[in-house]
Amino acid sequence: MEIEKIYKENGAYLHGHFLLSSGNHSEYYLQSAKVLENPALAGELASQLAGVIKDAGISYDSVCSPALGGILAGYELAKQAGKRFIFTERVEKIMSLRRGFEVKKGEKFVICEDIITTGGSALESAKIIESLGGEVVAFAALANRGFCAVANLGNSRHESCKLPFDKPLFTLGNFSFEIYEPNSCPLCKNGSVAIKPGSRGN
Ligand code: ZN
């Protein structure tokens, strides 16, 4: 399945003028929740992703996702691959493992997101798993936002990618579109105002 086509068909590839959580602006925004609101489709995508990881010869015990965005994708991946699933969440901006979730010494994890942008949240989750004695063997996401190198796609790595060099990232596709700093945003120059995704029913 073509991931870009799926995002477009499900109203998840938004066109407009968006204020991203990084403070930058973009003409496009990926709203993965619109894809994952369909559990059958979510299962199908996660099944493909599980297959990509398996084909690469990666063996793992569990999947961990950073809340909130990663939970649906990670849960479906764990379900399709027959693994355990836990998630990390931010408590006053600090990524934490709560709710009685435990990590066994040597337990092998795949860290799963919906979209990997620079991979910052995924990396924070990985650090928690490793600090508790687990081993992160790979990262995974439904799609890559064009900044990180994807093992199964072979695209190049941008300097803003935060994921470790020594662990592979697997995704079903790669989205590549420009983001702008507010003072050099061509959309702002045309007089439009950036909106926060989700603030106008999107
Ligand atoms: Zn702008």
Side-chain angles (χ1 to χ4, degrees):
M1 283 192 290
E2 171 64 54
I3 195 79
E4 186 171 322
K5 187 162 170 268
I6 289 169
Y7 269 67
K8 283 179 175 164
E9 283 174 359
N10 287 275
Y13 193 116
L14 308 179
H15 182 239
H17 182 191
F18 300 103
L19 172 61
L20 307 177
S21 54
S22 61
N24 292 321
H25 294 187
S26 173
E27 191 176 354
Y28 300 96
Y29 184 76
L30 301 170
Q31 184 57 278
S32 299
K34 288 294 293 173
V35 170
L36 298 170
E37 73 175 17
N38 178 343
L41 178 58
E44 220 172 303
L45 292 169
S47 169
Q48 273 193 38
L49 188 56
V52 168
I53 298 167
K54 191 179 177 190
D55 289 348
I58 303 286
S59 82
Y60 56 110
D61 307 301
S62 304
V63 176
C64 178
S65 293
L68 184 65
I71 289 183
L72 294 172
Y75 184 86
E76 280 298 329
L77 172 62
K79 187 175 172 185
Q80 298 295 329
K83 311 294 183 187
R84 187 167 83 92
F85 175 75
I86 62 175
F87 61 89
T88 59
E89 58 198 296
R90 285 188 199 284
V91 181
E92 287 167 1
K93 295 186 180 169
I94 310 291
M95 196 68 90
S96 318
L97 189 68
R98 306 181 76 197
R99 301 172 197 269
F101 289 145
E102 289 174 355
V103 174
K104 294 188 193 76
K105 196 162 173 52
E107 184 175 0
K108 291 182 177 170
F109 278 87
V110 168
I111 307 292
C112 185
E113 270 278 24
D114 52 351
I115 304 280
I116 287 281
T117 306
T118 62
S121 298
L123 181 64
E124 286 176 73
S125 293
K127 283 181 174 167
I128 291 173
I129 295 299
E130 288 177 339
S131 74
L132 295 169
E135 186 191 343
V136 174
V137 294
F139 293 85
L142 298 179
N144 181 46
R145 244 306 268 114
F147 300 109
C148 292
V150 180
N152 56 303
L153 298 178
N155 62 310
S156 61
R157 178 186 174 111
H158 187 268
E159 61 182 17
S160 62
C161 178
K162 293 177 181 147
L163 296 183
F165 284 89
D166 62 343
K167 299 190 197 298
L169 165 65
F170 301 99
T171 77
L172 297 177
N174 190 43
F175 287 94
S176 192
F177 47 78
E178 294 289 322
I179 57 172
Y180 311 105
E181 289 184 359
N183 55 17
S184 61
C185 174
L187 305 164
C188 285
K189 286 201 177 90
N190 285 339
S192 89
V193 176
I195 59 160
K196 215 173 153 184
S199 61
R200 290 190 191 165
N202 55 22

